Amino acid sequence: AMEKLLLYMNQLSGVIPSELGHLSRMTGLYLFSNVLTGSLPTELGLLAAMEDLELPMNLLTGVIPSELGQLSSMTALYLWSNVLRSSLPTELGLLTAMKDLDLSKNQLSGIIPSELGELSSITKLYLYSNVLTGSLPTELGLLAAMEDLELPTNQLSGGLPSELGQLSEMILLYLFKNSLTGPLPTELGLLTAMEHLSLYENTLSGVIPSELGQLS
């Protein structure tokens, strides 16, 4: 039974066949850098052994299927640089083995679901260059393994949650080019592993907390 299918960097066109859902032992599917169109088949949710699903740099449209939340072994989901237009399904929060989630450079809208706070293994979350709205869920502060959180170039509003100060492993936090308001939480000074903090082009106000001097 097939375990890995690598067809990346070709000129494959047309849709992703729903029949791939029959490959029950597949752990890796790599179709990036092609010209695939159409929507993601819901049958991908049947790939119970899937660990690494990489479909970026195509012309895929439609929604992110909620059925992907069934892939409980998945550690990497890459769908960046497509034309996906849905909201983020709350079922993504079921992917507790996930380490790398990259949905950037699409046309995803709606809010960031609070359920993403259940991704207890995640180290990298990339949602930049979409049209996401609403505020940053305080539940992001539960992502204890997070190292790289990139949400810039969206339409996110509201304040920076003080709960972000709980992400003690975080090295990189990018929230630039949004509509974030209010003060910088003093709790950002707790992020002592931080190397890159980019908050430009928002409407943040108030003082720069002296606690940022702790980011050695």
Side-chain angles (χ1 to χ4, degrees):
M2 189 181 300
E3 293 189 2
K4 284 186 163 54
L5 179 59
L6 299 89
L7 297 171
Y8 56 87
M9 298 178 78
N10 279 291
Q11 296 182 31
L12 298 172
S13 60
V15 301
I16 297 172
S18 59
E19 289 82 0
L20 291 183
H22 300 319
L23 300 174
S24 57
R25 295 190 183 180
M26 180 173 285
T27 60
L29 177 60
Y30 308 89
L31 301 178
F32 58 86
S33 292
N34 281 291
V35 283
L36 297 168
T37 53
S39 54
L40 292 166
T42 58
E43 290 83 358
L44 293 178
L46 301 173
L47 299 173
M50 181 62 68
E51 297 173 4
D52 198 352
L53 181 57
E54 301 196 15
L55 309 176
M57 299 177 72
N58 280 291
L59 299 169
L60 299 169
T61 55
V63 306
I64 297 174
S66 59
E67 288 82 357
L68 294 183
Q70 299 165 23
L71 303 180
S72 58
S73 299
M74 189 150 58
T75 59
L77 174 60
Y78 295 157
L79 298 175
W80 48 275
S81 285
N82 278 292
V83 203
L84 300 170
R85 293 179 185 274
S86 67
S87 56
L88 295 171
T90 57
E91 290 83 358
L92 292 177
L94 300 171
L95 301 173
T96 51
M98 181 74 73
K99 292 184 176 177
D100 292 3
L101 177 59
D102 191 342
L103 307 176
S104 58
K105 295 186 177 180
N106 279 288
Q107 296 177 26
L108 300 171
S109 59
I111 64 169
I112 297 174
S114 59
E115 287 83 357
L116 294 189
E118 295 160 23
L119 299 177
S120 52
S121 302
I122 199 165
T123 61
K124 295 181 175 65
L125 175 60
Y126 300 147
L127 300 175
Y128 59 85
S129 298
N130 281 292
V131 283
L132 297 169
T133 53
S135 55
L136 292 167
T138 58
E139 289 83 358
L140 293 178
L142 301 173
L143 302 176
M146 180 63 71
E147 297 174 3
D148 191 350
L149 179 58
E150 302 194 24
L151 310 177
T153 319
N154 279 290
Q155 298 171 18
L156 299 170
S157 57
L160 286 174
S162 59
E163 288 83 356
L164 293 179
Q166 299 166 23
L167 303 180
S168 58
E169 302 296 317
M170 189 143 64
I171 297 169
L172 192 152
L173 176 59
Y174 285 174
L175 295 171
F176 58 84
K177 291 190 176 180
N178 278 291
S179 301
L180 299 170
T181 54
L184 294 173
T186 58
E187 290 85 355
L188 292 178
L190 301 172
L191 301 175
T192 52
M194 181 79 77
E195 296 179 8
H196 299 275
L197 175 60
S198 287
L199 305 174
Y200 64 84
E201 288 190 43
N202 281 288
T203 38
L204 299 168
S205 57
V207 302
I208 297 173
S210 60
E211 288 83 355
L212 294 187
Q214 298 164 24
L215 303 181
S216 56

